Amino acid sequence: MKKQWKRLLVAALSSSSVFAVTWYWYQSTEDRNSSYGNEKPLAYVGKVVEDIQRRPASRLLWQLVNTGEPLYNGEAIRTSERGEVRIQFVDSDRYLDLEPESLIVIKKSEGEIALDLMEGSLFVNAKAGGAEANAPGLVLNSANGKVDLSQASASLSKGRDNSVDVQVLEGKASVKGDDGRSKDLTSTTVIKVLTPLPQKPIAMDAESPQPVPFQWTGFPQGTQVSLWVGPSRKQLKPFVQAALNQNQVNASLPFGRHYWKLVGTSSLGNVIAESPIYKTEVLARYAPTVVFPTADADIPAAKTPFDMTFKWQKGDDTRQMTLEVWSDQNLQKKIATQSFSNEESYTLPSLKAGTYYWRMSSYYIESDKPVLGKVQKFTVKPAEQVQAKVERAPIVPVNVDFTMPETQLTQYYVEKPQVGLTWKADKTDDVALYRVKLLEENADPRSASSLEVKDTKFSTTVPKPGRYIASIEAVNKDGQILGTKVSQPLTVSPLPLLQAPLFVPTEGPLQASFDGRTQLEWTKLDGAKEYWLTIRKDGKELKRSKYTNNMTALKNLLPGEYEIELSAMDNYGRPSEVAPARKLLVPDKSNLRAPTLKKIKVN
């Protein structure tokens, strides 16, 4: 009996040690994921669209990634069907834009950063940071060798045959083969796009959108050229057709991101040549918000000539603003043109009594063409000729800004799609209400409906999931706009189901002890209120149990092979994804010896 107890003790210690080692491994890798000690990140996550996931080199599970998070050596990043992310490299101005349905691994070795494009497409802008002394080399690992992108801006795509197509847009790139020789890469396409410039955004007046001009060279004479456009590289469709033998066409593209290519066909409809696939983003831009004078205002002048002060509010991403003033309705007699970078007021001296016309225009970083504001008029009159009015406080510009964190640029819903907005404003005593406008990203801005609220928060349902743009206007009691703010695109998506909880350890069959008891543990999921464990044998369900924690002990299982399946339920009563069933082995031998009969008594 003493020997039997020793065996039981050894078995218990062995099982405990295996469990302890497994638990320690899991926790240690989890800790390494959240803290890299003194390791320096290779890059940071920039702008995020939709759900983006990362997987550290030491982990098996994918995790959501947000703007501003660091990325370390060996990490993988993947995008969803509509997801996009900008990755900004440290120590330089280089960045890459990872397109939808793409997967990339970032590594560093021998003083250079290496990219492994596993699937999908990306755009690398390394030319800007190529001359920086501290910037490490940037290369792409491909089947043909290392592609040096350190001084290039290029578009990269993974083909069906596992090859990587490299299209150099600016600068220079080279490939180094297994023999150690380097060869310069040049574009092999004969189709050259003149406008729009590949990967460059197009800023357009939101109040008056214009068609986008496309120009090209390289198609043979007699070719019928069509523009194909779509939301991704895999969803391109014919959009507009150019006139025969013409090398340009205008396309009315809605605001948002578009992928496109040019396709040339013969008179029989056969494809003769086509361009690579490009990405272009059409941005909605606005003229400065006019604060003073208001439209058709009568300006009382105690004496003439009169010094007139103009006031406005600068828009986001504006690099320059221009004030223009005319003294005639036909805008032929211009009396002033002034440009500003940060100023929000200007005094024009020595105006005589009369009617004047003026407007404000904005120049944005992405375009050399201005966004022209509306022409408005005002009249300078002697004070005694101006009809007496109730004294009003001078108009003071109000700064409005959204207070939603970057993490709320993607907003999830369970039942109905909805958008929630929060903002702040200074000089709130001058604000009577806020005018909220919300519309789909690609919709005509003129179709936006307005709602007025008095609080600095707003929530409403929307017709369907998608990307929306919101704007807030601060309005005084006289209906005058004191300030405005336009949001970044907001993505409205269904709340994803919980991922399947995983047994620990995550691989291999699970083993019961010799007495039929099984200690089970699984990963704890944020947002899960309960877990469901199902036991099956030969395809027949034996038991289904609910647990509120992430561990349990099974007992009284007969020897044999079982299948156990695990799922979770979130706080909204929705079941999670279900991981593949795991095998549970219950041994048919026990470490307990059968009792020995020492005496039999027969009556």
Side-chain angles (χ1 to χ4, degrees):
M1 188 68 180
K2 185 177 181 181
K3 186 176 181 180
Q4 181 62 34
W5 279 108
K6 288 183 178 180
R7 291 181 178 178
L8 287 174
L9 181 61
V10 171
L13 290 174
S14 299
S15 299
S16 300
S17 62
V18 171
F19 176 79
V21 169
T22 302
W23 180 86
Y24 174 77
W25 171 83
Y26 184 81
Q27 293 296 326
S28 63
T29 56
E30 185 175 36
D31 293 339
R32 286 198 300 272
N33 175 44
S34 59
S35 176
Y36 283 79
N38 296 323
E39 182 180 350
K40 184 179 179 180
L42 299 184
Y44 288 89
V45 178
K47 184 179 178 181
V48 172
V49 178
E50 295 280 352
D51 288 342
I52 309 301
Q53 293 182 321
R54 69 191 294 178
R55 186 179 66 190
S58 59
R59 299 289 290 155
L60 299 176
L61 303 179
W62 290 92
Q63 304 168 341
L64 290 178
V65 64
N66 296 309
T67 300
E69 293 187 10
L71 298 174
Y72 294 91
N73 183 31
E75 290 208 67
I77 302 96
R78 70 180 181 185
T79 57
S80 60
E81 183 180 0
R82 296 185 62 184
E84 294 185 21
V85 62
R86 170 161 293 184
I87 298 175
Q88 182 73 52
F89 294 101
V90 298
D91 299 332
S92 72
D93 292 332
R94 297 169 174 167
Y95 65 86
L96 68 83
D97 290 331
L98 195 60
E99 297 181 3
E101 296 183 298
S102 299
L103 170 62
I104 191 174
V105 178
I106 302 178
K107 300 178 182 178
K108 185 175 183 180
S109 63
E110 302 177 356
E112 63 184 15
I113 298 176
L115 308 175
D116 286 330
L117 181 60
M118 313 306 292
E119 60 182 74
S121 305
L122 61 85
F123 168 73
V124 173
N125 185 4
K127 184 175 182 292
E132 299 188 24
N134 297 329
L138 184 63
V139 300
L140 170 75
N141 293 327
S142 71
N144 297 327
K146 279 187 176 181
V147 180
D148 187 357
L149 301 170
S150 302
Q151 298 182 19
S153 293
S155 180
L156 316 174
S157 298
K158 194 68 173 285
R160 294 182 179 178
D161 56 354
N162 211 33
S163 63
V164 178
D165 175 52
V166 181
Q167 181 190 355
V168 179
L169 303 177
E170 290 184 274
K172 60 180 181 178
S174 61
V175 57
K176 187 175 183 180
D178 297 334
D179 56 1
R181 296 182 179 180
S182 295
K183 179 183 178 182
D184 289 340
L185 291 178
T186 57
S187 177
T188 58
T189 179
V190 297
I191 311 303
K192 184 177 181 180
V193 174
L194 304 179
T195 59
L197 295 178
Q199 302 293 146
K200 300 295 184 181
I202 299 173
M204 190 176 295
D205 186 354
E207 302 296 333
S208 181
Q210 301 294 321
V212 177
F214 288 80
Q215 293 181 307
W216 59 85
T217 61
F219 285 103
Q221 189 72 12
T223 304
Q224 181 72 67
V225 180
S226 298
L227 173 67
W228 290 46
V229 181
S232 70
R233 293 177 178 269
K234 300 178 181 179
Q235 297 176 294
L236 299 182
K237 296 180 180 179
F239 188 79
V240 65
Q241 189 178 79
L244 187 63
N245 292 325
Q246 291 295 313
N247 62 350
Q248 63 180 10
V249 69
N250 293 329
S252 298
L253 298 179
F255 295 112
R257 288 178 300 278
H258 306 280
Y259 292 87
W260 58 274
K261 68 177 180 179
L262 299 171
V263 178
T265 58
S266 66
S267 58
L268 300 178
N270 300 321
V271 176
I272 298 176
E274 63 181 64
S275 71
I277 298 175
Y278 301 102
K279 182 180 77 169
T280 296
E281 184 171 9
V282 182
L283 304 175
R285 294 308 189 194
Y286 298 82
T289 300
V290 172
V291 177
F292 186 83
T294 56
D296 302 320
D298 290 335
I299 308 300
K303 63 178 182 177
T304 56
F306 177 74
D307 295 343
M308 180 67 191
T309 298
F310 299 86
K311 297 180 181 179
W312 60 88
Q313 189 174 44
K314 179 183 176 182
D316 292 340
D317 301 327
T318 305
R319 62 178 175 87
Q320 180 181 308
M321 296 159 291
T322 301
L323 168 67
E324 299 173 280
V325 184
W326 296 268
S327 60
D328 68 310
Q329 185 176 2
N330 297 324
L331 309 182
Q332 298 295 320
K333 300 177 182 179
K334 183 178 289 188
I335 63 173
T337 301
Q338 294 289 331
S339 296
F340 313 93
S341 55
N342 296 309
E343 298 86 348
E344 294 189 338
S345 66
Y346 174 74
T347 299
L348 181 62
S350 304
L351 288 184
K352 299 178 181 179
T355 300
Y356 298 87
Y357 299 82
W358 71 293
R359 72 179 173 197
M360 292 294 303
S361 303
S362 292
Y363 288 83
Y364 287 91
I365 298 174
E366 308 89 354
S367 176
D368 294 329
K369 294 182 179 180
V371 176
L372 302 177
K374 294 181 180 179
V375 176
Q376 303 188 67
K377 70 176 181 177
F378 64 91
T379 303
V380 177
K381 294 182 178 180
E384 61 272 13
Q385 294 182 12
V386 179
Q387 182 179 356
K389 297 181 180 179
V390 178
E391 287 293 328
R392 297 178 180 176
I395 297 177
V396 180
V398 173
N399 295 316
V400 183
D401 198 9
F402 286 97
T403 56
M404 298 174 298
E406 290 286 340
T407 54
Q408 288 189 6
L409 293 181
T410 298
Q411 300 189 8
Y412 298 104
Y413 67 91
V414 176
E415 295 181 357
K416 295 182 178 180
Q418 60 182 4
V419 170
L421 306 172
T422 58
W423 61 91
K424 63 180 180 180
D426 60 358
K427 309 178 187 67
T428 54
D429 292 341
D430 298 325
V431 179
L433 57 89
Y434 298 95
R435 186 176 296 130
V436 183
K437 296 181 180 180
L438 185 69
L439 76 161
E440 290 189 69
E441 182 183 39
N442 296 333
D444 187 343
R446 292 169 293 188
S447 66
S449 57
S450 299
L451 295 173
E452 296 180 349
V453 297
K454 293 188 176 182
D455 296 328
T456 56
K457 59 182 179 179
F458 174 77
S459 180
T460 185
T461 58
V462 291
K464 60 182 180 179
R467 288 165 59 85
Y468 291 82
I469 295 177
S471 65
I472 306 294
E473 295 177 342
V475 183
N476 66 8
K477 62 182 180 180
D478 298 319
Q480 297 168 317
I481 300 175
L482 306 180
T484 185
K485 184 71 174 180
V486 180
S487 75
Q488 295 290 332
L490 305 172
T491 301
V492 179
S493 298
L495 181 66
L497 296 177
L498 293 175
Q499 295 181 346
L502 301 177
F503 288 106
V504 179
T506 58
E507 296 181 353
L510 303 172
Q511 182 79 39
S513 60
F514 286 105
D515 60 357
R517 292 177 60 88
T518 305
Q519 188 72 28
L520 295 178
E521 183 182 0
W522 52 86
T523 54
K524 191 173 183 179
L525 302 180
D526 292 336
K529 69 174 182 179
E530 59 192 39
Y531 302 89
W532 287 88
L533 181 68
T534 303
I535 303 175
R536 294 186 177 90
K537 184 175 176 61
D538 299 329
K540 181 180 179 181
E541 183 176 312
L542 302 181
K543 186 178 181 181
R544 178 175 168 83
S545 305
K546 180 177 74 173
Y547 302 92
T548 56
N549 56 11
N550 63 322
M551 62 178 60
T552 187
L554 304 178
K555 57 184 179 179
N556 299 328
L557 290 178
L558 297 176
E561 182 177 299
Y562 297 83
E563 289 185 344
I564 54 176
E565 194 175 76
L566 188 63
S567 64
M569 192 78 72
D570 66 12
N571 294 319
Y572 302 97
R574 304 181 308 162
S576 71
E577 299 175 355
V578 180
R582 295 285 296 277
K583 288 184 178 181
L584 173 63
L585 303 178
V586 179
D588 57 359
K589 295 182 180 180
S590 173
N591 59 357
L592 295 177
R593 292 189 301 177
T596 303
L597 296 176
K598 294 185 177 181
K599 184 177 181 181
I600 301 177
K601 182 178 180 182
V602 179
N603 294 327

